[in-house]
Amino acid sequence: MRNLIRIAATLTALTATVTLPGPAQAVTTPAPAWHLTETGTGTTTRFRGLAAVSRSTAWAAGTNGTVLLTRNGGRDWRNVSPPGAGALEFRDVEAFDARRAVVLAVGEGEASRVFRTDDGGATWTESFRNTDPRAFYDCMTFFDARHGIALGDPVDGRYRVLSTADGGRSWRVLPPDGMPPAQPGEAAFAASGQCLVSHGARDAWIATGGAATARVLHSADRGRTWSVTDTPVPAGDPARGVFGLAFRDRTHGLAVGGDYRAGQPSERAAAVSGDGGASWTGADRPPAAYRSGVAWLPHSRRAALAVGPTGSDITTDGGRTWRGFDPGSYDTVDCAPDGGCWAAGEKGRVARLGRSGR
């Protein structure tokens, strides 16, 4: 979304005993905590794009055309930014491994671009540049190493979707016929790279806001046709809506959001779905404030993380209740299949999930 503003506030950290899953089995541990990477990233970039490849490898993308890569758990970060991209705003990165990644720059007209690397950021190829001054791209997702889609705000009353079948090396605009009409003022929020997510070979979901109702759209055919459902997340204002989605399978989903303006309440900032997004129920105890990113913990059917500028929360009951555990400011969160979870945000902050007291 075009007018995303910065929030600065604090949230009291809570402690609890939770179940944190590992690659092999779940174990009971003290409360989780974010641990900033030891040497820092060496930059003040705000990172809203994050791709967790493993416990050791992660990509981060953000302001001033910055892309960073670590292969040693954050002890060292390499600046692998595309040459000449300093004026661009990267809001999403999707990585297949330590060498292959695709990044999305957002903005009106030609500011929306896609780049791909196959050599760990040593070289980049610009694979898409938006030439429609009415279009503004927000986020992207991949179903596998070849097939992916990118989401743009409504043009002529319908969301615009790009599609790739070669791993992001080329893109085409999908026909709008299968897209439901957008509400007046409706758009997606380019806040965390999670306004468009996928699971499996064909299912994708879009998070919306800025209009009378915050909605979630679902496609079961890689973005060709979509259905739409209302959510109970706060709406009715350009600053409110669903900001991030996560699905642990094609059935069970989480939505987070609220009102991103500092000091504004977000009483119903989370919702859950048990039917693939066909219906949504508000959390019994949602996060205390606006949240922009959400991720299921690997190897768990009930645990997930949510992050925002005022703190982080964890659920251990599938999203019905949330408990704050860290007061730090983060915009996005992602977990790798091996159990490694990362968060990123303002002032160059990138952290890994660990245990409190460590």
Side-chain angles (χ1 to χ4, degrees), residues 15 20 29-39 55-56 72-75 325-326 339-342 350-358:
T15 57
L20 280 179
T29 72
W34 292 116
H35 297 279
L36 291 169
T37 54
E38 295 175 11
T39 59
R55 294 172 184 265
S56 60
N72 58 10
R75 289 193 299 274
F325 71 87
D326 189 287
C341 291
W342 300 73
V350 183
R352 290 196 305 166
L353 191 69
R355 303 178 186 180
S356 61
R358 212 184 78 180

Side-chain angles (χ1 to χ4, degrees), residues 201-297:
R202 306 186 71 81
D203 287 281
W205 295 265
I206 293 171
T208 82
T213 303
R215 308 193 299 174
V216 171
L217 284 70
H218 172 237
S219 173
D221 54 11
R222 294 180 180 161
R224 293 176 179 82
T225 60
W226 298 82
S227 58
V228 63
T229 304
D230 294 348
T231 78
V233 174
D237 187 280
R240 299 174 184 164
V242 178
F243 283 71
L245 295 169
F247 277 78
R248 67 171 172 80
D249 52 37
R250 69 188 311 265
T251 301
H252 297 89
L254 301 172
V256 298
D259 190 320
Y260 66 69
R261 294 171 297 188
Q264 294 298 309
S266 295
E267 297 93 345
R268 295 171 287 124
V272 300
S273 177
D275 54 13
S279 63
W280 293 85
T281 302
D284 296 333
R285 189 174 68 197
Y290 154 74
R291 295 293 179 255
S292 53
V294 61
W296 290 95
L297 272 70

